[in-house]
Amino acid sequence: MENLNISKGTKEQQYQSLIPQIKGLLTGENNVVANMANIAAALKEQFDFFWVGFYLVEGNELVLGPFQGPVACTRIAYNRGVCGTAWAKEETLIVPNVEEFPGHIACSSLSKSEIVVPILKDGNCIGVLDVDSKELNSFDLIDKQYLKAILELFTSQ
Ligand code: SME
């Protein structure tokens, strides 16, 4: 499959249309960079998020991985920013207003809200998926549920 079928409808319907397509893109491909790149591209294309991408654990830092959107900071320390905190807690963080998150790292002043989902593989956090929006309050438990499902497709490859 080379073309993404972009769906209209509620956020839930959009994720439900996207997930089997992401599964199709990942099935039979075990290259993690290729799979992260296509996940970021598919999410960007369906939802037109401001920024969507991966940070991967390397020692005591997160290092920028495949992403879609404007250039971003390359390294984030453990427990720093939304990404480093989600890594440390191994929990999804939904930030309705990034200006109210202590220690938020502003890669762009245009980013207003954010969700960061840790990537857990064999009980270890190997990185995070970070999605940013230009609007406040963009993310909720629906995003958390479906982004986690997408990451499970990724880690099970
Ligand atoms: N805002 C993130 C940094 C990454 S960029 O938004 C792409 C943070 O606070 O961890």
Side-chain angles (χ1 to χ4, degrees):
M1 181 191 61
E2 285 162 16
N3 290 316
L4 202 66
N5 179 18
I6 301 300
S7 119
K8 297 196 169 71
T10 65
K11 181 193 282 199
E12 203 153 16
Q13 288 166 335
Q14 292 184 58
Y15 277 115
Q16 282 168 0
S17 148
L18 191 61
I19 282 185
Q21 298 187 74
I22 290 181
K23 194 170 183 185
L25 287 164
L26 269 48
T27 298
E29 178 53 73
N30 65 5
N31 183 285
V32 290
V33 173
N35 287 340
M36 287 187 285
N38 261 340
I39 289 170
L43 286 166
K44 173 81 173 167
E45 210 176 332
Q46 173 64 55
F47 292 102
D48 198 25
F49 290 130
F50 175 62
W51 195 93
V52 45
F54 290 85
Y55 280 92
L56 299 170
V57 172
E58 226 179 86
N60 58 358
E61 291 179 316
L62 291 168
V63 181
L64 183 63
F67 70 96
Q68 293 271 319
V71 295
C73 35
T74 51
R75 287 172 189 271
I76 297 173
Y78 184 76
N79 220 6
R80 288 283 319 279
V82 186
C83 292
T85 307
W87 171 25
K89 291 188 168 171
E90 298 194 352
E91 269 172 26
T92 298
L93 295 181
I94 295 171
V95 182
N97 179 355
V98 295
E99 284 176 21
E100 290 173 4
F101 187 94
H104 167 254
I105 299 164
C107 290
S108 165
S109 61
L110 294 173
S111 174
K112 299 282 185 252
S113 60
E114 181 166 5
I115 183 169
V116 179
V117 188
I119 307 168
L120 301 170
K121 184 158 173 109
D122 304 327
N124 293 317
C125 182
I126 59 166
V128 300
L129 174 64
D130 179 13
V131 186
D132 288 46
S133 165
K134 283 205 275 189
E135 274 97 55
L136 294 167
N137 294 306
S138 285
F139 303 106
D140 55 26
L141 294 176
I142 293 174
D143 299 283
K144 175 178 174 179
Q145 176 193 337
Y146 286 103
L147 293 174
K148 279 176 83 167
I150 290 167
L151 291 178
E152 274 161 28
L153 294 176
F154 170 65
T155 52
S156 64
Q157 280 305 303

